[in-house]
Protein backbone atom coordinates (compact mmCIF):
# COMPACT_ATOMS: atom_id res chain seq x y z
CA UNK A 1 0.00 0.00 0.00
CA UNK A 2 1.15 3.55 -0.76
CA UNK A 3 1.48 4.57 2.88
CA UNK A 4 3.87 1.71 3.61
CA UNK A 5 5.98 2.50 0.55
CA UNK A 6 6.21 6.17 1.54
CA UNK A 7 7.14 5.20 5.09
CA UNK A 8 9.83 2.81 3.85
CA UNK A 9 11.28 5.50 1.56
CA UNK A 10 11.27 8.00 4.46
CA UNK A 11 13.09 5.46 6.66
CA UNK A 12 15.72 5.00 3.95
CA UNK A 13 16.09 8.78 3.60
CA UNK A 14 16.58 9.09 7.38
CA UNK A 15 19.29 6.42 7.39
CA UNK A 16 21.07 7.93 4.38
CA UNK A 17 20.77 11.47 5.77
CA UNK A 18 22.16 10.37 9.14
CA UNK A 19 25.12 8.71 7.40
CA UNK A 20 25.72 11.72 5.13
CA UNK A 21 25.60 14.24 8.00
CA UNK A 22 27.87 12.06 10.14
CA UNK A 23 30.35 11.64 7.30
CA UNK A 24 30.36 15.41 6.66
CA UNK A 25 30.84 16.10 10.39
CA UNK A 26 27.48 17.84 10.90
CA UNK A 27 25.76 15.51 13.33
CA UNK A 28 25.88 17.76 16.42
CA UNK A 29 23.06 20.26 16.88
CA UNK A 30 21.15 19.13 13.80
CA UNK A 31 17.81 17.39 14.02
CA UNK A 32 15.60 16.40 11.12
CA UNK A 33 12.24 14.97 10.29
CA UNK A 34 11.34 13.19 7.06
CA UNK A 35 7.79 12.97 5.74
CA UNK A 36 6.86 11.97 2.19
CA UNK A 37 10.35 12.78 0.92
CA UNK A 38 10.45 16.23 2.54
CA UNK A 39 13.33 16.76 4.98
CA UNK A 40 12.82 19.42 7.66
CA UNK A 41 16.07 20.50 9.31
CA UNK A 42 15.94 21.93 12.82
CA UNK A 43 18.48 22.89 15.46
CA UNK A 44 21.28 25.39 15.90
CA UNK A 45 24.56 25.69 13.99
CA UNK A 46 27.55 28.01 14.31
CA UNK A 47 27.60 29.78 10.94
CA UNK A 48 25.55 30.54 7.83
CA UNK A 49 28.11 28.55 5.81
CA UNK A 50 27.44 25.48 7.97
CA UNK A 51 23.69 26.01 7.61
CA UNK A 52 24.00 26.09 3.81
CA UNK A 53 26.36 23.10 3.72
CA UNK A 54 23.96 20.97 5.77
CA UNK A 55 21.10 21.90 3.44
CA UNK A 56 23.22 20.81 0.45
CA UNK A 57 24.05 17.49 2.16
CA UNK A 58 20.34 16.87 2.83
CA UNK A 59 19.35 17.82 -0.74
CA UNK A 60 21.89 15.31 -2.07
CA UNK A 61 20.33 12.34 -0.31
CA UNK A 62 18.50 10.01 -2.74
CA UNK A 63 14.68 10.37 -2.89
CA UNK A 64 14.62 13.74 -1.10
CA UNK A 65 12.09 15.89 -2.96
CA UNK A 66 12.43 19.04 -0.83
CA UNK A 67 14.49 20.42 2.06
CA UNK A 68 12.91 22.82 4.56
CA UNK A 69 15.82 24.48 6.36
CA UNK A 70 14.80 25.95 9.71
CA UNK A 71 18.29 25.75 11.22
CA UNK A 72 19.15 28.75 13.35
CA UNK A 73 22.55 30.42 13.63
CA UNK A 74 23.93 30.42 17.16
CA UNK A 75 24.32 33.83 18.79
CA UNK A 76 23.13 35.69 15.70
CA UNK A 77 22.52 39.35 16.40
CA UNK A 78 20.92 41.97 14.22
CA UNK A 79 23.78 44.38 14.87
CA UNK A 80 27.49 43.75 15.24
CA UNK A 81 29.69 45.37 17.85
CA UNK A 82 33.35 46.30 17.39
Amino acid sequence: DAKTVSSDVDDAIEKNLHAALTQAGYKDGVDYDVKSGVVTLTGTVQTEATRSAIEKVAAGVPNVSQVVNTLEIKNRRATSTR
Side-chain angles (χ1 to χ4, degrees):
D1 114 316
K3 203 173 218 176
T4 304
V5 170
S6 178
S7 174
D8 288 348
V9 170
D10 288 346
D11 288 347
I13 290 171
E14 280 194 27
K15 286 179 183 141
N16 289 331
L17 180 57
H18 178 78
L21 290 173
T22 301
Q23 184 176 11
Y26 296 128
K27 202 174 64 138
D28 295 336
V30 179
D31 294 311
Y32 48 85
D33 183 53
V34 181
K35 185 163 188 169
S36 300
V38 177
V39 174
T40 303
L41 300 168
T42 57
T44 305
V45 295
Q46 298 295 326
T47 65
E48 180 64 42
T50 301
R51 183 180 189 271
S52 296
I54 291 169
E55 183 175 343
K56 281 186 182 142
V57 168
V61 172
N63 298 312
V64 171
S65 60
Q66 183 180 357
V67 177
V68 179
N69 190 346
T70 63
L71 290 168
E72 295 181 12
I73 312 300
K74 189 173 189 173
N75 297 326
R76 175 173 270 188
R77 292 187 174 83
T79 58
S80 59
T81 56
R82 293 179 185 246

